[in-house]
Amino acid sequence: MAREPLVDGHGRRIGDLRVSVTDRCNFRCQYCMPAEGLPWLERSEVLTFEEIERLVALLSSMGVRDVRLTGGEPLVRRDLPRLVGMLRPLVDDLSVTTNGFLLERDAEALVRAGVTRWNVSVDSLQRDRFFELTRRDALGRVLAGLEHLATFPEAHPIKINAVGLRGFTEDEVLPFAAFAREHPYEVRFIEFMPLDADHAWDLDKVLTGEEIRAAVHEHFPLEAEPREPHSTARTYRFADGRGRIGFINPVSEPFCGDCNRIRLTADGRLRTCLFSLNETDLRAPLRAGASDAELEKTIRDAVWRKELKHRVNDPGFVQPARTMSAIGG
Ligand code: SAM
Ligand code: SF4
């Protein structure tokens, strides 16, 4: 049954949902998790696949057609292909963001179940630096997983996410540019955001997309591609036609104006912005037997209050209590 479109109080039509399927992760990336991990949710606190399916079906009937599964590390939920199979008929695009560690095990089942787009996070192409940043000696395994994924034609185009950290990423920029030219992957640099567990974020630690773009352009000339509506990335092709590269610049060039995205945390909270200080519990009404009409009203009320923009660059900015891993990046 089709419902009225889901719109916020600023007139933005919501079409994109990120679903965190778990807060757990097998990595401990410095910009996301503390070395010792976080207190994980109890299994009973995490939404079941059936609960996620019900919410996605409802949101889909209100016009949400792009869903991305994330976490934590989504592939640590072993039966993720089952969820993909359940959600696939409900949406146009069903993508996954993963650290790649379990791709050799799961890529085939996930591709067959219907994942339409892939983002694999890789922050360094050097083993020791990858270890330093993720606190796992896993670069070889991640690259093997990526190669395995790339053997499936349906998995392309594959995007590689790398967080831009000043004092770290500078040395990765040209190797990643070369990597994007030699492989069928689009590398995307993402600016470091204040969503780390250690609260060590500082504007000075953000290596901006523009700085990286300029450094790449000096060696490998780039040509801008037109920005697609709602896109978070600025993309460029290498002028000689070999490959593409992208920049997600939420700190230096916020793209809140046409943000059409909402998020569902693993414990069933609806978040209308990465940096929201408020969230709306959907799990309690879901488990108390709420009707679709009741859930719809709760969702519409929350979405109506969606933040106009984030305040990262404003004095007095308050970092949300949840880390990126607990929100679902
Ligand atoms: N574990 C999966 C992964 O790493 O791809 C999915 C979840 S992770 C939270 C999603 C994305 O958020 C990753 O690309 C990661 O690099 C990014 N991320 C995490 N913390 C971040 C931060 N503080 N600033 C910018 N990006 C961040
Ligand atoms: Fe885990 Fe992804 Fe956070 Fe790294 S960025 S700790 S892989 S959730």
Side-chain angles (χ1 to χ4, degrees):
M1 152 187 173
R3 293 181 164 80
E4 288 290 301
L6 186 56
V7 282
D8 75 3
H10 308 287
R12 293 171 298 193
R13 209 167 153 151
I14 305 303
D16 185 302
L17 170 72
R18 300 232 159 162
V19 179
S20 172
V21 297
T22 179
D23 59 329
R24 296 179 193 228
C25 188
N26 39 15
F27 284 13
R28 299 284 181 272
C29 302
Q30 288 195 21
Y31 51 72
C32 182
M33 285 233 195
E36 65 282 8
L38 289 165
W40 309 128
L41 292 167
E42 295 291 332
R43 226 158 269 279
S44 61
E45 295 178 278
V46 174
L47 292 187
T48 64
F49 286 171
E50 286 67 26
E51 288 169 333
I52 294 174
E53 181 188 33
R54 174 142 181 238
L55 291 174
V56 170
L58 187 57
L59 286 163
S60 163
S61 70
M62 294 187 254
V64 171
R65 307 299 301 169
D66 286 354
V67 171
R68 175 171 295 274
L69 303 179
T70 180
E73 172 48 39
L75 274 58
V76 304
R77 267 188 95 166
R78 269 210 90 123
D79 49 350
L80 195 66
R82 185 169 79 84
L83 179 65
V84 170
M86 290 160 75
L87 301 186
R88 187 65 198 91
L90 302 174
V91 294
D92 299 331
D93 250 321
L94 185 59
S95 50
V96 168
T97 300
T98 173
N99 62 27
F101 188 74
L102 295 168
L103 272 178
E104 280 186 290
R105 184 190 78 184
D106 291 346
E108 178 166 7
L110 287 165
V111 168
R112 303 262 179 265
V115 173
T116 51
R117 284 184 295 144
W118 291 87
N119 286 63
V120 182
S121 304
V122 187
D123 295 309
S124 170
L125 292 170
Q126 292 179 53
R127 181 179 167 188
D128 54 338
R129 304 184 90 241
F130 183 96
F131 180 31
E132 182 192 334
L133 200 63
T134 62
R135 305 183 175 112
R136 295 289 183 268
D137 185 10
L139 178 63
R141 183 162 163 169
V142 167
L143 293 180
L146 191 54
E147 253 177 57
H148 178 57
L149 177 65
T151 61
F152 300 97
E154 316 89 297
H156 291 272
I158 298 169
K159 298 192 179 102
I160 310 289
N161 293 352
V163 176
L165 300 160
R166 189 176 302 285
F168 181 89
T169 306
E170 292 87 339
D171 291 348
E172 303 292 336
V173 169
L174 293 182
F176 267 124
F179 192 71
R181 291 167 57 75
E182 285 152 19
H183 297 87
Y185 312 135
E186 180 182 317
V187 173
R188 292 184 161 197
F189 290 96
I190 307 175
E191 288 177 349
F192 178 31
M193 290 180 273
L195 294 167
D196 55 321
D198 298 332
H199 286 237
W201 184 89
D202 181 311
L203 196 52
D204 294 343
K205 294 190 179 136
V206 180
L207 185 65
T208 66
E210 175 50 27
E211 289 174 271
I212 301 175
R213 190 205 59 78
V216 173
H217 185 70
E218 229 176 82
H219 283 78
F220 304 110
L222 296 171
E223 286 173 358
E225 296 188 324
R227 178 177 182 247
E228 303 206 347
H230 312 298
S231 170
T232 54
R234 298 287 196 97
T235 58
Y236 293 78
R237 52 180 172 267
F238 291 101
D240 63 4
R242 280 182 66 193
R244 299 169 85 215
I245 196 159
F247 302 92
I248 302 178
N249 303 338
V251 178
S252 67
E253 294 178 66
F255 34 77
C256 308
D258 64 354
C259 175
N260 69 340
R261 181 170 298 169
I262 54 174
R263 294 180 145 82
L264 182 65
T265 65
D267 53 346
R269 267 57 173 179
L270 182 70
R271 292 180 64 88
T272 49
C273 174
L274 263 180
F275 299 98
S276 291
L277 297 175
N278 301 305
E279 41 192 41
T280 302
D281 185 8
L282 297 181
R283 188 187 66 195
L286 202 56
R287 292 188 179 174
S291 66
D292 278 358
E294 287 164 332
L295 285 169
E296 179 181 352
K297 176 163 187 343
T298 305
I299 292 169
R300 284 193 190 281
D301 287 350
V303 165
W304 187 256
R305 296 189 302 270
K306 180 171 161 62
E307 297 77 350
L308 176 62
K309 62 190 190 83
H310 71 62
R311 308 269 168 201
V312 170
N313 297 308
D314 295 358
F317 165 74
V318 180
Q319 179 166 341
R322 284 184 190 260
T323 63
M324 189 67 131
S325 64
I327 295 171

